[in-house]
Amino acid sequence: MGGTVRDFGRDSGSGGDGKRLHPVTPWRRAWAPLAGLFAIALNNAERLDDWLAALGLGWLTLLVIVLLAGAALYGYLSWRVTRYQVTDTELRITTGLVFRRTAHLRLDRIQSVDVTRPLLARALGVAKLKMTVVGAGGPGTPDELAFLGEGEARDLRAELLARAAGIAPEAAPQAGEAPSRALYRADSRTLAVAMALLATGWGALLAVAAVVPVVWWLSGNVFLMLGVAVPLLVALWQGSLGTFLTQYGWTVSESPDGLRLDHGLLQRDHATVPPGRVQAVRIVEPLLWRRRGWVRVELDVAGTGNQGGTLLPVAGRDEAAELVGRVLPDVDVIKALASVRPVPGRARWAAPVWHRGYGHGVTDGVFVARRGLLRRRHVLVPHAKVQSVRMTQGPWGRLLGLADVHVDHGAGGTATARLLGAAEALGEVSAQAERSRLGRRGAGPERWLTGGGYAPSPDS
């Protein structure tokens, strides 16, 4: 690999070997050794008082100064040796203070380039650029540049996307970011009500209120109490306010390079769903959302390890169907959900209650698997994205004449149609294999800005 180095690889202070990150980066890296020392202190909490008493105030002050100086020096030196450059064929990222590591990210293998701006980074005018490249270290392994100036991050992202789309190297730096048109924006009140109707946050709150006092009463050990309370508080945060802050202002826009997702109140994230790379769609309907007609839409995207990535945090069924049609143009979501048939009546002997939630269906475009009573989920896998299909049958299933059909797709996930009649399952395996063969034959290209798997509206 190699080629002519573009402007992003030139830097007067880098000796022609690449460009450095933003000067604020050393302060971010300085926290690494301090975090390690904090972990050591936490693991030896019982001895910590004795150590502090033995040191005395003077030596303790000197130790803190030395640690801060050492952490600052570590951050500065690691920043000095971290560089990046864009050639005609790849993005190179060189890191490592003791052991050198050079990541070679092929531009034609880039699957996503996302921009993240945490709260402090926004105040400082910097951003983090995260790239996911097929074959870089492992499926869905991301590499990042943290931090770049906001303008530099936007320009570099635009160039990388242009190069991934096949635009000539000399024209890519001037291509700029493709225009976009907003399709959907989550209403804050709707989002708040939707979060309140989920059981996850309330379950964590009840656990904190019930378990933590009991642990304290039985043990009287503050560290044991914290060991129980902290994970529960984290779960409470993630299931309530943390999720709301992350999904606040969720906006979906369409552009020639895919569907763009912007969201976050404290931390702003900007991501792109690559066209043609969506392998499966999940439509989730929690029990208390159904009367309001709300659903959540999740995507599995090939090459990014992004199983469970969100397209819509909450939306009406019609809005969800329209937006799913943007990433799967040949799929009629309403028709796909209507095609689902329940499992045979004898399935109640295998799953006395939960069999009511199982079902599966097929249309010309997708295979559909349904499961769940309280939290109903439909998984839609386009026939062209199916990697393998198989049938499994346990001893009890053989006795009842039931079997499961598993449809594996390119993002490493599986859609499972449970408790079908054995004869129906066997026929479904054969039929799905034929549908997948025909679907792959008629599938378009999976390259950005070419229309493969994504067609922006004429109004874009």
Side-chain angles (χ1 to χ4, degrees):
M1 293 185 180
T4 304
V5 177
R6 307 301 299 170
D7 289 343
F8 278 113
R10 299 195 185 103
D11 182 29
S12 59
S14 64
D17 295 328
K19 189 171 183 179
R20 292 196 181 102
L21 304 178
H22 193 277
V24 77
T25 304
W27 299 106
R28 168 188 181 256
R29 296 174 181 268
W31 286 103
L34 293 179
L37 291 173
F38 177 76
I40 294 174
L42 189 61
N43 288 332
N44 296 273
E46 296 178 355
R47 304 179 185 177
L48 191 58
D49 290 339
D50 296 336
W51 292 350
L52 295 178
L55 282 174
L57 181 60
W59 284 106
L60 179 60
T61 303
L62 180 60
L63 178 61
V64 170
I65 293 174
V66 171
L67 291 177
L68 291 176
L73 180 62
Y74 168 81
Y76 173 75
L77 292 177
S78 62
W79 170 74
R80 288 280 300 180
V81 300
T82 300
R83 304 173 188 270
Y84 74 94
Q85 61 182 184
V86 182
T87 73
D88 286 346
T89 57
E90 66 184 11
L91 170 65
R92 297 175 188 166
I93 305 175
T94 303
T95 59
L97 183 57
V98 180
F99 300 99
R100 303 289 286 172
R101 172 183 178 267
T102 301
H104 299 265
L105 311 182
R106 281 179 48 184
L107 300 177
D108 60 349
R109 303 283 285 176
I110 289 178
Q111 297 304 313
S112 67
V113 184
D114 301 334
V115 177
T116 301
R117 294 181 296 156
L119 180 61
L120 183 58
R122 292 168 65 187
L124 297 174
V126 297
K128 179 191 299 183
L129 204 66
K130 183 179 294 185
M131 290 74 60
T132 302
V133 181
V134 173
T141 302
D143 283 271
E144 66 179 29
L145 294 172
F147 289 92
L148 302 173
E150 287 186 356
E152 183 180 1
R154 287 194 300 269
D155 292 343
L156 180 55
R157 178 184 183 275
E159 178 174 352
L160 293 177
L161 292 182
R163 299 282 290 280
I167 294 178
E170 59 274 9
Q174 289 76 41
E177 189 170 54
S180 63
R181 182 175 69 92
L183 298 174
Y184 168 85
R185 181 179 175 87
D187 176 70
S188 301
R189 182 178 180 276
T190 299
L191 183 61
V193 173
M195 294 298 102
L197 292 177
L198 292 177
T200 51
W202 293 108
L205 179 60
L206 291 175
V208 170
V211 175
V212 174
V214 171
V215 171
W216 171 251
W217 180 66
L218 292 176
S219 67
N221 188 316
V222 66
F223 293 106
L224 180 60
M225 184 193 69
L226 289 175
V228 173
V230 170
L232 292 177
L233 290 173
V234 170
L236 175 60
W237 171 264
Q238 292 178 341
S240 55
L241 185 58
T243 300
F244 176 80
L245 294 177
T246 299
Q247 298 178 350
Y248 180 87
W250 192 285
T251 303
V252 181
S253 305
E254 67 173 354
S255 73
D257 55 20
L259 288 184
R260 295 179 183 170
L261 310 178
D262 295 275
H263 57 92
L265 181 60
L266 301 181
Q267 172 175 304
R268 292 295 295 174
D269 292 314
H270 176 87
T272 301
V273 178
R277 302 297 293 175
V278 175
Q279 305 295 298
V281 174
R282 278 188 301 279
I283 299 177
V284 184
E285 297 177 90
L287 178 63
L288 298 180
W289 287 16
R290 293 178 201 168
R291 288 187 59 187
R292 298 172 179 265
W294 293 345
V295 299
R296 173 185 174 91
V297 181
E298 300 172 347
L299 304 177
D300 288 347
V301 181
T304 66
N306 189 17
Q307 293 190 38
T310 301
L311 175 65
L312 293 173
V314 57
R317 291 190 181 95
D318 292 339
E319 290 176 308
E322 180 182 354
L323 284 176
V324 170
R326 300 286 181 174
V327 292
L328 301 178
D330 299 326
V331 175
D332 184 332
V333 175
I334 303 301
K335 181 180 178 181
L337 299 184
S339 72
V340 176
R341 304 186 306 275
V343 298
R346 62 182 181 275
R348 66 180 181 274
W349 299 109
V353 176
W354 304 113
H355 75 280
R356 299 176 183 273
Y358 295 129
H360 99 288
V362 176
T363 68
D364 293 339
V366 292
F367 176 91
V368 187
R370 184 186 70 194
R371 66 176 301 169
L373 278 178
L374 301 181
R375 185 181 178 87
R376 188 163 59 201
R377 292 186 299 173
H378 290 86
V379 183
L380 286 64
V381 182
H383 299 316
K385 306 300 183 181
V386 173
Q387 299 294 308
S388 64
V389 57
R390 51 199 166 85
M391 183 183 82
T392 60
Q393 189 179 36
W396 190 239
R398 286 196 295 271
L399 182 63
L400 295 174
L402 300 171
D404 299 340
V405 173
H406 308 271
V407 173
D408 305 313
H409 56 74
T414 301
T416 301
R418 291 211 58 204
L419 304 180
L420 304 183
E424 180 186 7
L426 187 61
E428 187 61 43
V429 169
S430 176
Q432 184 58 48
E434 179 64 15
R435 295 186 205 107
S436 301
R437 184 182 66 83
L438 296 176
R440 286 191 296 272
R441 177 184 296 176
E446 292 186 350
R447 193 158 197 179
W448 295 13
L449 297 170
T450 62
Y454 177 79
S457 73
D459 299 330
S460 301

